[in-house]
Amino acid sequence: MDALSSTALPTAPLPSAPLTPAPLTPTIAQGASRAAAPPAPDMAMSERAMSDRAAPDRLVRPEPQTPPPNRTRRFGIAVRITLGLSVMAMLVVLIGGVSMSSFHLFRAEVTALSTNTLPEVITSAELHGSLQKLVAQLPQLAAAPSTPQRRSIYDGLVTELDSLQLLVARMRGLMKEGGVNAGERDGNVRLLEQTRSTLLILAATVADLNAEVTRQIEYGDRQAEAARALSRLAAAIESMPDTGAWAARIGALMARTAGAAQLDHLNRLKGEARSAERTLAELAGLSSGAPDPTGQMMSTVQGELFSLLVAPGGLFESAIDRLQARNRAQALTAQAQVLVETVERSTRALYDSIRDQSAERTDALAELIAERTRTVMLLAGASILLAVGVYFIFRRFLSSRLVAMNRAVLARLSGNREAAAGAAEPVAVPVDGDDEITDIGASIRYFIDEIDRRQRALADNERRFRDLVEGSIQGIVIHRDFHALYANDSFAAMLGLTVAEVMALPSLLSVVSVTERQGLIDNYDRLLEGGQSTPRRRIRACRPDGAGLWVELTGRRVDWRDGPAIQAVVVDVTREVEAENALRQSRDAAERALGELKATQASLIQAEKMASLGQLVAGVAHEVNTPIGITITGASQLQALIGELADRHTANALKKSDFHRFLNDGMEMANLILSNSTRAANLVQSFKLVAVDQSSDERRAFLLRDYIDELLRSLHPTYKTRTALTIAVDCPAELELDGYPGALSQILTNLIMNALVHALDPERPGRIAIAARPMGGDMVELTVGDDGNGIAPEVLPKIFDPFFTTRRGSGGSGLGLHIVYNLVTGRLHGTIGVESRPGTGTRFTLRFPRVTAAA
């Protein structure tokens, strides 16, 4: 395998492999670097050359091949698959949308049916059933023979009426929540209101009927009591002495009274009452002429008859009141039946209307299900047809070609085996077409050829190393009291001895370092006593020639010939120990390299700061050069004017007009010198303030607005050529910070330069907005935004990473925003965030304490 990894590959692609992108046509040395990570391509090429010179009989170098020409964008397999799958996905989404909308409509209809229509039908049916119970109980109330039965029947009627009212109220609530159309709802509401009002009237009628039945039962009881008293009086009369005609008249009166009590005709009953009253008056005349005590007894009987028959509350009055109460009860019963029939008609009409509405909604739901089912089936059929079409397209352009390629590869492999036996020639892998499968076929053909070559090299290597790997790498020794009883070749080879020399050693402890011997003796005693195997341990050993080695050994107790002994399995781990030491050294070296890298990063960050300051110096120097040049020119011109004036004065040729012209020109030159000198002084002062702050870590209090203006004045030379650029500052003039102006200057400089370099086009109008405002908790928010190109979403999370830049070849170091992040979070103890969308600009938001904590 080592030979394979060091074997270089050809540097040219196959002539028949039309590989368009550059990564698909690398040199084979580059392919080997991706597969097995060997040295760089140049080193691999040099190793290949050395290998070719060392073993020309094993490797055959292919002929150089010219790379294929660049090819334009093509309609490849990926585009075809994407298009087909996109169409299928659209159909699936459409089916899903139709199915979801159908499900929502179906659920809404089923919900309406279950929460409104079905409860309405059930409630209307319950209303009708309760009404039937009411119809059955009304005649029972009118015919109740006693007060307990009357009270029980009336309570049942009241319960049924309350139940009907509750059902009507529930129906009203369901109709308010229902989703039927307005016309049907209004009709049902009218029927329901009619039912409710009729039930109220029926309740009042039933109450009146109960009162009349109560009176009827009361009067009947009074009549029965009077009849019983009359019977007792008749028995008393029979015991009286014979009174002749008076007794006959009394008997006839009682007989007529008994018959009249059974009459159901009110007028006849009233006539009988008047006749009884006349008869009692006539009997009074007969009893007045009778001697005592018979006359007195007759008067007493007549008085009792009067009180029992015609007096208020007597038999006839009770019978008349009972018949009147019965007649009123019958009338109320008839009225109640009419009301019940009215309610029944209303409830029947309401039930029929609700049932019809339920049937209509059920039919509409069934029609909706059928319609959506047809739509889904049509879309599913279209999906199936599309899937079949996509299948045949994929089979034509993808699977059939892959199958053919697979068959060719299998045939090629089989042909290679036969060719190795001298039976046939290898079969070439097809590379027809102009797409990715063509590239894959060419790559497969190429790699099969390479595999063939490597397999031949591998066969040679296997023959050379077969004898080396057949031996055991573990040493086995059996000893008693550290005197060797048996040893294999591997153990002897570890010690650099023969087996006979190992057996002749006086003690195996002689090949172990002195510090390890006591531990081995203790372990030997434990093994003999316990008999359990010991875990693997690593010790330092030494060969008889003085060379040291590390071994791992484990032992167990065995019975050997004439007694117990210890079997030890020994593995040479010298290389592993050396590898661990090398790994430890590599880790230390990596840690040192990391420290150096951090130091380098810090130096690069400082260099970036100095570069920014140098750029500021260059801009200010260029800007100061102009006013200084104008000042020198004005001074030289003023000197010439003074010299000319002195010459005229010396020649006594000085005129007043010359003097006035000198004053005007001199004043103009002085103003020019003063304005440009002031301008240069302001530039130098602004630069001095900013430069000193950037190059030092001095802490001081400063007004933020004035400092931003000074910074922009010092940066003006870097963007003065951009006439279309606008920099707007929105900051309260009284906002004072106590912190590190140098850090803030470096932050603003980097953000403004980042916007000028990356975001804004020099030829187009642009705007940079700097805004600051105080926040709660003695915090300050500072934003720097632009309306430039923006930052791509995949780049946005990386902008604060060190050495990340999108202009690596244009001088970008990738440290500007990293420095900004470190200064904001470290020096200012604040936070920084960024918002950006491509084409709309970028905005950095900084939040930090107004008074920065000491470093």
Side-chain angles (χ1 to χ4, degrees):
M1 296 300 292
D2 294 337
L4 277 175
S5 62
S6 62
T7 303
L9 303 177
T11 58
L14 292 175
S16 60
L19 307 178
T20 301
L24 294 178
T25 59
T27 63
I28 305 307
Q30 293 171 344
S33 69
R34 288 195 300 270
D42 293 339
M43 297 177 64
M45 291 297 297
S46 62
E47 291 178 3
R48 167 64 192 274
M50 295 174 62
S51 178
D52 289 345
R53 288 193 296 270
D57 56 337
R58 291 190 294 108
L59 299 178
V60 179
R61 192 181 185 92
E63 292 295 330
Q65 301 168 358
T66 58
N70 291 330
R71 194 176 280 156
T72 58
R73 190 182 185 92
R74 57 191 176 182
F75 191 71
I77 294 297
V79 177
R80 299 172 192 172
I81 293 176
T82 303
L83 182 60
L85 294 180
S86 299
V87 175
M88 292 184 67
M90 290 174 61
L91 275 177
V92 170
V93 170
L94 182 60
I95 293 174
V98 173
S99 301
M100 289 301 296
S101 64
S102 303
F103 171 74
H104 288 308
L105 289 175
F106 177 72
R107 185 174 64 180
E109 289 296 327
V110 170
T111 302
L113 285 173
S114 61
T115 57
N116 296 108
T117 306
L118 185 59
E120 288 178 358
V121 173
I122 295 174
T123 305
S124 61
E126 291 178 354
L127 188 63
H128 188 70
S130 298
L131 190 63
Q132 296 302 319
K133 294 180 182 179
L134 189 66
V135 171
Q137 292 178 354
L138 277 174
Q140 297 177 2
L141 177 64
S146 63
T147 299
Q149 292 182 357
R150 188 266 313 164
R151 186 178 294 112
S152 175
I153 296 172
Y154 179 70
D155 291 341
L157 284 173
V158 171
T159 302
E160 291 297 330
L161 287 172
D162 293 340
S163 176
L164 288 172
Q165 290 291 349
L166 291 176
L167 291 174
V168 169
R170 186 197 306 172
M171 183 69 74
R172 290 181 64 187
L174 292 173
M175 286 183 179
K176 289 181 180 180
E177 298 175 358
V180 299
N181 57 63
E184 294 177 349
R185 184 176 65 250
D186 293 342
N188 294 339
V189 170
R190 284 196 298 272
L191 289 174
L192 194 62
E193 289 298 326
Q194 180 181 353
T195 302
R196 188 180 67 83
S197 60
T198 307
L199 285 175
L200 293 176
I201 298 173
L202 179 60
T205 303
V206 170
D208 294 341
L209 177 60
N210 178 62
E212 294 298 331
V213 172
T214 301
R215 285 193 290 272
Q216 180 182 352
I217 293 173
E218 180 183 354
Y219 293 149
D221 293 340
R222 288 167 55 187
Q223 182 182 351
E225 182 63 28
R228 287 191 294 272
L230 187 62
S231 297
R232 289 191 299 271
L233 183 61
I237 291 173
E238 290 179 356
S239 62
M240 290 176 61
D242 186 16
T243 55
W246 182 86
R249 295 285 298 272
I250 289 294
L253 177 61
M254 288 185 177
R256 290 187 63 182
T257 302
Q262 304 300 323
L263 292 176
D264 289 336
H265 197 278
L266 183 62
N267 292 329
R268 289 180 61 186
L269 185 59
K270 289 181 178 180
E272 290 293 334
R274 289 191 296 271
S275 177
E277 188 175 358
R278 288 194 300 269
T279 301
L280 286 174
E282 292 174 356
L283 289 174
L286 293 176
S287 62
S288 61
D292 294 329
T294 302
Q296 187 178 0
M297 293 175 62
M298 292 172 62
S299 299
T300 303
V301 169
Q302 289 177 4
E304 292 180 358
L305 280 175
F306 183 82
S307 62
L308 288 175
L309 296 180
V310 297
L315 177 65
F316 283 104
E317 187 178 81
S318 297
I320 291 171
D321 291 340
R322 180 182 64 79
L323 285 179
Q324 290 177 347
R326 189 195 68 178
N327 293 338
R328 287 194 296 272
Q330 290 176 350
L332 289 173
T333 302
Q335 180 181 353
Q337 289 177 349
V338 172
L339 292 174
V340 168
E341 291 175 357
T342 303
V343 173
E344 183 177 10
R345 286 194 300 271
S346 300
T347 55
R348 171 61 64 180
L350 181 62
Y351 174 75
D352 293 339
S353 175
I354 293 174
R355 185 182 60 186
D356 294 340
Q357 294 171 12
S358 175
E360 291 176 359
R361 298 196 71 165
T362 305
D363 295 339
L365 179 59
E367 184 178 356
L368 174 65
I369 294 173
E371 178 187 355
R372 292 307 175 95
T373 302
R374 288 193 298 270
T375 303
V376 173
M377 292 299 293
L378 288 175
L379 291 175
S383 300
I384 293 173
L385 293 176
L386 179 62
V388 172
V390 171
Y391 166 74
F392 282 108
I393 292 174
F394 283 3
R395 182 175 179 181
R396 168 65 181 84
F397 292 102
L398 183 63
S399 61
S400 61
R401 297 173 63 191
L402 291 176
V403 169
M405 187 181 300
N406 181 56
R407 292 174 180 172
V409 170
L410 294 177
R412 175 65 181 271
L413 295 177
S414 176
N416 287 346
R417 289 191 292 268
E418 295 175 359
E425 291 292 333
V427 180
V429 178
V431 290
D432 56 330
D434 185 18
D435 51 24
E436 292 87 343
I437 295 180
T438 304
D439 300 340
I440 294 172
S443 301
I444 290 175
R445 173 191 289 182
Y446 173 76
F447 285 111
I448 285 179
D449 294 340
E450 181 62 22
I451 289 171
D452 293 341
R453 185 184 61 77
R454 291 191 174 215
Q455 285 178 343
R456 291 191 295 271
L458 181 61
D460 295 338
N461 293 333
E462 287 177 351
R463 284 191 295 272
R464 286 196 301 270
F465 293 107
R466 185 175 295 115
D467 295 335
L468 298 178
V469 297
E470 287 178 349
S472 174
I473 62 172
Q474 291 182 341
I476 300 175
V477 60
I478 299 176
H479 66 90
R480 183 181 295 117
D481 293 331
F482 297 99
H483 295 288
L485 303 177
Y486 169 79
N488 65 351
D489 294 337
S490 296
F491 180 76
M494 288 181 194
L495 300 178
L497 302 173
T498 63
V499 174
E501 291 173 341
V502 171
M503 301 297 291
L505 288 174
S507 175
L508 294 177
L509 293 176
S510 61
V511 296
V512 180
S513 63
V514 178
T515 57
E516 301 283 354
R517 292 178 182 177
Q518 186 59 44
L520 290 177
I521 294 173
D522 295 339
N523 189 37
Y524 176 83
D525 295 336
R526 284 195 299 270
L527 282 174
L528 287 180
E529 293 174 1
Q532 296 181 353
S533 301
T534 59
R536 179 171 298 183
R537 58 181 299 180
R538 180 176 296 180
I539 64 172
R540 176 81 175 181
C542 57
R543 294 190 177 97
D545 59 0
L549 73 157
W550 286 90
V551 295
E552 283 187 353
L553 57 88
T554 181
R556 68 186 184 94
R557 175 179 172 177
V558 296
D559 291 330
W560 184 261
R561 295 181 182 177
D562 55 350
I566 302 299
Q567 176 188 354
V569 179
V570 185
V571 180
D572 186 357
V573 294
T574 304
R575 291 187 179 181
E576 295 180 9
V577 174
E578 293 175 352
E580 291 175 359
N581 293 333
L583 181 61
R584 190 177 300 106
Q585 295 174 1
S586 299
R587 183 193 63 191
D588 296 339
E591 291 177 352
R592 290 193 298 273
L594 179 61
E596 294 174 357
L597 179 61
K598 290 182 177 179
T600 303
Q601 180 179 352
S603 63
L604 287 175
I605 292 174
Q606 188 63 27
E608 181 75 11
K609 285 184 172 181
M610 293 299 103
S612 176
L613 186 59
Q615 185 179 7
L616 181 64
V617 170
V620 170
H622 178 75
E623 189 72 10
V624 170
N625 187 46
T626 300
I628 290 178
I630 296 174
T631 300
I632 294 173
T633 303
S636 61
Q637 184 66 25
L638 181 60
Q639 183 181 16
L641 290 174
I642 294 174
E644 182 181 354
L645 181 65
D647 293 340
R648 290 180 179 273
H649 181 268
T650 303
N652 292 323
L654 182 62
K655 299 179 180 179
K656 185 178 181 180
S657 58
D658 295 334
F659 185 72
H660 282 295
R661 185 170 58 254
F662 169 75
L663 290 177
N664 293 332
D665 294 341
M667 183 59 68
E668 182 178 355
M669 292 298 104
N671 290 334
L672 183 64
I673 292 170
L674 180 61
S675 62
N676 283 276
S677 299
T678 303
R679 178 184 173 192
N682 291 334
L683 285 173
V684 171
Q685 180 65 24
S686 299
F687 166 72
K688 179 181 177 183
L689 177 64
V690 175
V692 169
D693 286 336
Q694 286 193 7
S695 60
S696 67
D697 291 334
E698 181 183 357
R699 177 192 177 97
R700 62 184 177 86
F702 59 95
L703 293 174
L704 181 58
R705 176 58 185 262
D706 295 343
Y707 194 78
I708 293 175
D709 292 339
E710 293 290 342
L711 177 64
L712 293 177
R713 191 176 297 112
S714 64
L715 290 177
H716 184 263
T718 61
Y719 61 82
K720 69 177 183 179
T721 57
R722 300 192 180 194
T723 58
L725 176 66
T726 302
I727 298 180
V729 179
D730 181 12
C731 176
E734 67 279 2
L735 180 57
E736 183 180 19
L737 304 183
D738 185 2
Y740 300 94
L744 185 61
S745 171
Q746 185 70 41
I747 291 169
L748 290 175
T749 300
N750 286 6
L751 291 179
I752 293 172
M753 295 306 298
N754 186 73
L756 294 175
V757 173
H758 295 279
L760 300 174
D761 191 347
E763 304 299 330
R764 294 182 181 178
R767 185 175 187 272
I768 298 176
I770 303 174
R773 65 184 182 90
M775 300 176 62
D778 205 20
M779 297 289 291
V780 176
E781 181 182 81
L782 177 63
T783 61
V784 180
D786 61 75
D787 58 355
N789 300 324
I791 303 174
E794 63 273 11
V795 175
L796 193 61
K798 307 176 184 177
I799 60 173
F800 295 119
D801 294 346
F803 308 110
F804 176 79
T805 179
T806 57
R807 296 199 175 188
R808 181 71 65 186
S810 302
S813 64
L815 292 174
L817 291 180
H818 179 63
I819 293 174
V820 169
Y821 181 83
N822 286 339
L823 290 175
V824 172
T825 58
R827 184 60 56 85
L828 300 185
H829 302 288
T831 60
I832 182 171
V834 58
E835 300 175 6
S836 180
R837 286 189 296 176
T840 60
T842 304
R843 183 176 67 178
F844 291 89
T845 302
L846 289 71
R847 293 184 177 91
F848 51 89
R850 189 186 64 81
V851 179
T852 306

